[in-house]
Amino acid sequence: MTAKIIDGKAFAANVRADVATHVARLQEENDITPGLAVVLVGEDPASEVYVRNKHKSTIEVGMNSFEHKLPADVSQEELYALIEKLNNDPSVHGILCQFPVPDHLNETDIVARISPAKDVDGLHVVNAGLLATGQKTMASCTPLGCLMMLRDHYGSLSGLNAVVVGRSNLVGKPLASLLLNDSCTVTIAHSRTKNIEALCRRADIVVAAVGRPEMITGDWIGDGATVIDVGINRIPHPEKEGKFKLVGDVHFASAIEKAGAITPVPGGVGPMTIACLLANTLTACCRTHGLTEPEGLTA
Ligand code: NDP
């Protein structure tokens, strides 16, 4: 069997187009433009690229983008003062602080300062708690992107057996909660899990969120299972000296022979993350103004 490749790039383009349509309608009918504020501390080159891409995508869907670049030695008080200002700014519906931040700042404390209603990254404990208790929440972008692709592939996820490999607060745990809320039977595997290959082989859905290049090989995958590869790993290019190559946590060439459907890296989960950030900003804006939330763009 050779798996269907789930095209995350095309899926994300559809989500962004859908968001753009809703934004245009909000402007026309309510004279409201959703706004996303991104805070970048320091000059990490990878973070600068991410922030630039977020800015471009935000503008493209017709939203306002507010970029705040702070020096690497900014004090905690100054950063918190900016977050407080953004919390109180009615033109800002979503706030995201790009991580990692310099060592003198604490990521958990930063997230705690962001108003849960504007926490479009879905990392605030209030949103994590709402998700864990099956209530309306703001779901983290990457897990939300995975959920959207799985719902699209299956229609209903009810009763399916899912194994999520990875238990981070950013990906593994929220995705497990999302799948559970959609009535999957969920197993969370991690570095201490015994017989992890056998667990994965029995699953209808295997999600890899580990951060280990190509760890999950074809012999971990049951016939016809769906494989969602969240991993993004830069490894030395096997043929081009001095160059790098992006690979996932799944060994694509062997997994595609066993799976029924699989997301590639790049071009799978990655593009969905920014698309879901825009979807969450739109959702936050609708909730703030008591307007109907767009269908299909939330958990
Ligand atoms: P973390 O490092 O926070 O978590 C990794 C998880 O994998 C941990 O729970 C860890 O277990 C588990 N793990 C590590 N080694 C093994 C192993 N040998 N067997 C089983 N489990 C193992 O990573 P993140 O969740 O933040 O990210 C995971 C991957 O997803 C990374 O490649 C990252 O780059 C990528 N990513 C991609 C995004 C996208 O937009 N596509 C967004 C966010 C992340 P334990 O808890 O026991 O240590």
Side-chain angles (χ1 to χ4, degrees):
M1 170 183 282
T2 301
K4 171 194 164 191
I5 295 178
I6 300 176
D7 185 346
K9 215 171 150 189
F11 201 110
N14 285 336
V15 172
R16 291 201 310 270
D18 207 5
V19 170
T21 303
H22 284 285
V23 169
R25 198 174 304 150
L26 265 181
Q27 285 164 335
E28 204 178 299
E29 294 174 6
N30 307 89
D31 199 20
I32 296 167
T33 302
L36 172 64
V38 177
V39 180
L40 174 64
V41 184
E43 285 165 5
D44 176 58
S47 294
E48 283 187 346
V49 173
Y50 292 139
V51 169
R52 215 176 305 137
N53 288 342
K54 283 169 187 166
H55 171 75
K56 190 169 157 268
S57 308
T58 307
I59 299 292
E60 272 170 11
V61 294
M63 293 184 184
N64 289 326
S65 168
F66 307 103
E67 269 185 70
H68 295 271
K69 292 189 177 172
L70 302 176
D73 62 355
V74 68
S75 70
Q76 178 180 284
E77 289 68 31
E78 281 172 277
L79 174 59
Y80 290 175
L82 171 62
I83 292 174
E84 192 53 24
K85 199 171 135 227
L86 298 173
N87 281 340
N88 294 318
D89 184 342
S91 65
V92 172
H93 302 94
I95 304 170
L96 177 151
C97 184
Q98 185 69 44
F99 293 150
V101 286
D103 286 347
H104 69 285
L105 300 167
N106 179 294
E107 294 183 355
T108 309
D109 291 344
I110 293 169
V111 171
R113 296 272 164 165
I114 296 173
S115 159
K118 297 190 179 188
D119 167 41
V120 282
D121 243 353
L123 297 176
H124 195 288
V125 288
V126 167
N127 284 318
L130 289 168
L131 175 63
T133 50
Q135 299 181 69
K136 192 160 97 172
T137 184
M138 191 67 72
S140 314
C141 304
T142 302
L144 178 58
C146 297
L147 181 77
M148 282 185 188
M149 290 194 287
L150 285 168
R151 279 180 177 168
D152 180 70
H153 180 65
Y154 282 105
S156 166
L157 302 182
S158 181
L160 295 173
N161 242 315
V163 173
V164 179
V165 189
R167 57 173 163 179
S168 71
N169 291 331
L170 182 63
V171 187
K173 277 185 212 152
L175 182 53
S177 293
L178 288 172
L179 293 172
L180 186 61
N181 291 346
D182 263 30
S183 297
C184 283
T185 302
V186 184
T187 305
I188 305 178
H190 46 79
S191 66
R192 308 291 175 89
T193 301
K194 290 179 185 154
N195 299 325
I196 192 166
E197 293 94 328
L199 275 178
C200 287
R201 259 195 302 273
R202 288 204 302 268
D204 300 304
I205 297 168
V206 175
V207 181
V210 189
R212 294 189 182 265
E214 302 179 321
M215 183 184 89
I216 296 176
T217 51
D219 54 346
W220 293 40
I221 308 299
D223 284 333
T226 301
V227 179
I228 303 290
D229 190 354
V230 181
I232 301 179
N233 308 288
R234 248 163 66 99
I235 60 164
H237 200 289
E239 286 129 35
K240 298 177 192 161
E241 214 183 303
K243 299 269 182 209
F244 287 90
K245 183 184 172 201
L246 280 189
V247 295
D249 292 339
V250 175
H251 185 266
F252 188 79
S254 59
I256 198 173
E257 297 300 327
K258 295 290 292 297
I262 185 167
T263 59
V265 176
V269 175
M272 288 300 287
T273 300
I274 290 191
C276 288
L277 175 67
L278 302 173
N280 275 351
T281 305
L282 172 66
T283 301
C285 178
C286 292
R287 287 181 187 170
T288 299
H289 291 280
L291 300 168
T292 314
E293 288 172 31
E295 254 177 61
L297 296 176
T298 57

